[in-house]
Amino acid sequence: MNQPATGPVNELFFSGHGDPRHKCVAIGFHNNTPVVYKLETVDLPQGTRTTMTFNEQTPVAHLDWAMGVHLGAVIRGSDRTPMADFVSRGSTNTARRFKTSANGREQFEWRRLGSQHPYAYELISITPETTARIATYDPTPREVPKMGRAYAYLKFTFHEDVLLRDALVALCLNRWIDWRGM
């Protein structure tokens, strides 16, 4: 998980009220480039929708919830995928699996890390050849210079934009399910 000092910086700090799907802001660096992801949820006449935006202007995903709080669909561009596909049964009872839209051969799992930090996760990449941890989500609050208080920290070693988007969608869903005790 440690990167050389000369490697790209890939980290996000989470701020907001702790609700995984509303007023959640993830700000940091991806491949040494500053990035901001925001999740905002609104109740619409046709249902509840969470919109994930990139750098405060580009919608990159919509999460349409069934009857307000039940799993519905994730919309990425013209692709509509059931939310359940982002939280499929994983290899352990604390893991939930998903595939990214970029590469159907590789699978990923967000795994809860245990009783000390019940809301801490690690992201595992699973291919037929290897299994490797590629990210950790640490819910320990901390002060971040020039940002203020962050309620969580995500450090990741991958570089693909699509995987980051899909991993954040799956993390939002995992946190929502665990937060609600579903």
Side-chain angles (χ1 to χ4, degrees), residues 13 140-151:
F13 296 92
T140 306
R142 65 196 75 210
E143 290 297 321
V144 180
K146 298 182 182 178
M147 182 182 153
R149 190 121 174 108
Y151 68 79

Side-chain angles (χ1 to χ4, degrees), residues 88-97 109-112:
S88 299
R89 180 179 301 271
S91 61
T92 70
N93 63 348
T94 62
R96 296 188 184 106
R97 188 172 290 205
E109 285 185 350
W110 278 112
R111 295 180 182 170
R112 257 191 347 243

Side-chain angles (χ1 to χ4, degrees), residues 19-61:
D19 183 334
R21 69 178 197 166
H22 187 59
K23 296 195 182 290
C24 173
V25 178
I27 185 168
F29 291 91
H30 177 55
N31 298 325
N32 290 333
T33 303
V35 295
V36 177
Y37 285 89
K38 286 187 178 181
L39 290 123
E40 292 281 344
T41 300
V42 295
D43 290 321
L44 302 169
Q46 65 273 23
T48 301
R49 171 172 268 193
T50 300
T51 300
M52 176 188 284
T53 58
F54 173 70
N55 286 347
E56 302 195 48
Q57 56 192 342
T58 308
V60 293

